[in-house]
Amino acid sequence: MRAIAALWPVLAGLAAASGQAPWNLWWLALVGYLAGIGYVARSAHPFWTGMLFGAAHFALALVWIVEPFLIDPEATAWLAPIALIGVSVGFGLFWAAAGWVGVRWLKGAVGVAVALGLAELLRSYLLTGFPWALPGHMLIDTDALPAASLVGAHGLGIAVLLGAGLIATGRIAGVAAGAVLWAAPFVVGAALPPAPEGAGPVLRLVQPNAPQHLKWEPDWRGVFFRRGLEETAAATDGPPPVAVVWPETALPELLDYSEDLRPILAEATGGVPLVIGVQRYGPDGHPRNSVALLEGPSGEVAAIHDKHRLVPFGEFLPMQGLFDLIGIGPLASRLAGTFAAGEGPALIDVPGVGPVLPLICYEAIFPQDIARVDRPRAILHLTNDAWFGRRFGPQQHLALTRLRAAESGLPVLRAANTGISAAIDARGTVLASLPLQVHGHLDAALPPALPPTPYLATGDWAALITLFLLAACCVIFSGRIGVVRLPDRP
């Protein structure tokens, strides 16, 4: 019986994860959050029930985490299950703690929902932060997405979680209030004006489709480079592009030693600027993952942005001292990479386009960085999602890029190595795209931007204050709200 009882929060977690891309089953995810919060709230062991709920959610939502370890399976495939279990259990601990706090301190289903919201905010910022597969992300592929311009992902998450917590009380007033909360993002999203019409300068997005296991092979690097050149120089049926964008790490040579390649690139672009992902060595001798703006007939480097949000265990090793202490520091460093971080977000002024904010791969999952710079004309997202497989990871990464557009009111042009390259308007709608696993180019007229959004002004502070106020209400009114009157479960 205990095993069967433990199955229910696992199923609820899987259902909650189904709202994430590529499934986008938001209606099933709502049921999953409702069931999961209800099970935790009436459990005699809310910590462990919350752990099962959370671990199942993250195991499905982040299943793509195994993909980087399968690029070189003979060397690293054994780490794939360890990574998935580690991520699922590690992030599941946040939900486990939320379950315990929600039941023991905040006294019921509403308290569990509020504690989950706080746990997800903490997960988004603690250490380097990992705001991926948040509850609010289940609404990205719905009509509710424009509401993110007001409240951001965590505001959407409050509507999802608090609505589930209220309905889980089983009281008529709670069910009614919860249904209103669930409907609110859709109503607000529909009421907001659409993205402005009009078309700006045309940019060409190049997608060379270089599989990660072949990308740096000597026999293949030239193939992918020539493929990119052909797509760059291809004829157009419409207005000629004013700039070309290649994806992350697309230059097949270190920028420091690319004098012979840059004139070839300039010839292929027809003399228009090229924004390209490169690798280079910084003055400290450490490698950097960067974006370079190349101009002129010789491809002179006019501007550089170094990636400042590095992937933990992918581009750098966090907690180096801990790994040294247990004796595997050198091995962990070799697997993690030794990239150095740039100074922070910065704008690049692209001739014919204006100031743009370049985001390199992982940087697109952090909304707070957009508010740290002067307002750009657009966001350029350069990424290499070949690391993340052919389905789950790239689809979720695109979804998060759509969310950044909706939150900021800025259009996004996205050049992805293996896809999905896309043009996204200021409400987060994909206007045009190239599918996964094909090579090609996309000529995209830059959509207009909206005025600065309320979310850019407040960030996640509004969500944090709201959650603390709700937590205080749960404590003050404990015993009168949020209690699920059902028999205890293990």
Side-chain angles (χ1 to χ4, degrees):
M1 289 297 294
R2 288 183 178 274
I4 295 175
L7 180 63
W8 296 117
V10 170
L11 293 176
L14 296 175
S18 72
Q20 305 292 326
W23 309 285
N24 298 315
L25 301 176
W26 61 270
W27 49 271
L28 181 57
L30 288 176
V31 174
Y33 281 110
L34 170 58
I37 289 172
Y39 283 123
V40 173
R42 67 178 185 261
S43 173
H45 307 286
F47 181 91
W48 295 110
T49 306
M51 169 64 82
L52 291 172
F53 181 34
H57 170 271
F58 290 113
L60 179 57
L62 302 179
V63 66
W64 53 265
I65 204 75
V66 305
E67 296 289 348
F69 301 98
L70 304 180
I71 300 298
D72 184 7
E74 292 185 1
T76 58
W78 63 276
L79 289 169
I82 297 174
L84 183 58
I85 293 170
V87 165
S88 303
V89 173
F91 292 154
L93 283 170
F94 285 86
W95 289 29
W100 186 84
V101 170
V103 172
R104 302 304 183 201
W105 288 11
L106 306 184
K107 305 299 183 182
V110 172
V112 171
V114 172
L116 272 176
L118 287 168
E120 287 297 85
L121 253 173
L122 183 63
R123 184 171 68 85
S124 299
Y125 286 91
L126 187 65
L127 300 177
T128 63
F130 190 66
W132 197 303
L134 299 174
H137 291 169
M138 56 172 277
L139 298 178
I140 292 174
D141 198 44
T142 73
D143 293 338
L145 177 59
S149 65
L150 304 180
V151 297
H154 290 288
L156 296 178
I158 290 174
V160 169
L161 295 171
L162 187 59
L166 286 165
I167 294 173
T169 64
R171 297 174 178 176
I172 294 176
V175 172
V180 169
L181 269 177
W182 274 359
F186 294 89
V187 174
V188 172
L192 290 172
E197 297 182 358
V202 174
L203 287 81
R204 173 163 292 186
L205 310 176
V206 174
Q207 182 170 301
N209 190 30
Q212 193 59 41
H213 69 288
L214 298 175
K215 181 176 170 63
W216 299 112
E217 290 294 322
D219 293 339
W220 283 95
R221 284 195 301 174
V223 173
F224 301 133
F225 185 62
R226 287 191 296 273
R227 184 182 290 174
L229 293 173
E230 291 169 359
E231 298 297 342
T232 299
T236 179
D237 295 330
V242 302
V244 178
V245 184
W246 281 36
E248 178 188 17
T249 62
L251 189 67
E253 182 59 86
L254 289 172
L255 182 65
D256 314 70
Y257 307 109
S258 62
E259 295 87 351
D260 294 337
L261 297 183
R262 285 188 270 121
I264 299 173
L265 287 164
E267 182 180 1
T269 66
V272 304
L274 170 65
V275 181
I276 184 171
V278 302
Q279 295 181 90
R280 71 188 191 97
Y281 281 103
D284 56 2
H286 288 288
R288 281 170 166 76
N289 188 351
S290 309
V291 165
L293 171 65
L294 307 183
E295 296 181 16
S298 59
E300 291 296 324
V301 179
I304 285 183
H305 164 70
D306 293 325
K307 184 178 182 182
H308 67 283
R309 294 277 190 179
L310 300 181
V311 180
F313 304 103
E315 293 175 312
F316 82 105
L317 180 66
M319 301 177 292
Q320 174 78 54
L322 174 62
F323 288 97
D324 289 340
L325 184 65
I326 61 179
I328 61 169
L331 172 62
S333 296
R334 190 163 61 251
L335 292 173
T338 57
F339 281 83
E343 295 182 357
L347 302 183
I348 290 179
D349 196 353
V350 180
V353 180
V356 299
L357 174 63
L359 299 177
I360 304 174
C361 190
Y362 186 66
E363 291 179 330
I365 77 171
F366 296 96
Q368 60 267 35
D369 291 339
I370 301 174
R372 294 173 58 189
V373 297
D374 293 334
R375 189 158 178 82
R377 172 69 180 82
I379 295 171
L380 294 186
H381 184 210
L382 285 68
T383 186
N384 175 24
D385 288 355
W387 285 105
F388 304 140
R390 300 186 177 187
R391 185 165 173 79
F392 307 108
Q395 293 279 2
Q396 290 178 16
H397 206 187
L398 173 66
L400 293 178
T401 310
R402 294 179 60 192
L403 181 60
R404 297 294 85 81
E407 289 169 337
S408 64
L410 291 169
V412 178
L413 296 184
R414 185 175 198 261
N417 170 28
T418 54
I420 303 166
S421 299
I424 303 168
D425 73 15
R427 287 296 188 202
T429 300
V430 177
L431 302 177
S433 64
L434 292 173
L436 281 164
Q437 305 300 309
V438 302
H439 68 270
H441 66 271
L442 179 65
D443 288 344
L446 188 60
L450 286 162
T453 62
Y455 175 71
L456 274 189
T458 63
D460 291 325
W461 284 105
L464 180 63
I465 292 170
T466 299
L467 288 166
F468 272 124
L469 290 174
L470 289 169
C473 288
C474 289
V475 172
I476 294 170
F477 299 106
S478 64
R480 281 180 278 174
I481 65 170
V483 178
V484 180
R485 301 188 181 279
L486 294 172
D488 282 351
R489 288 182 180 271

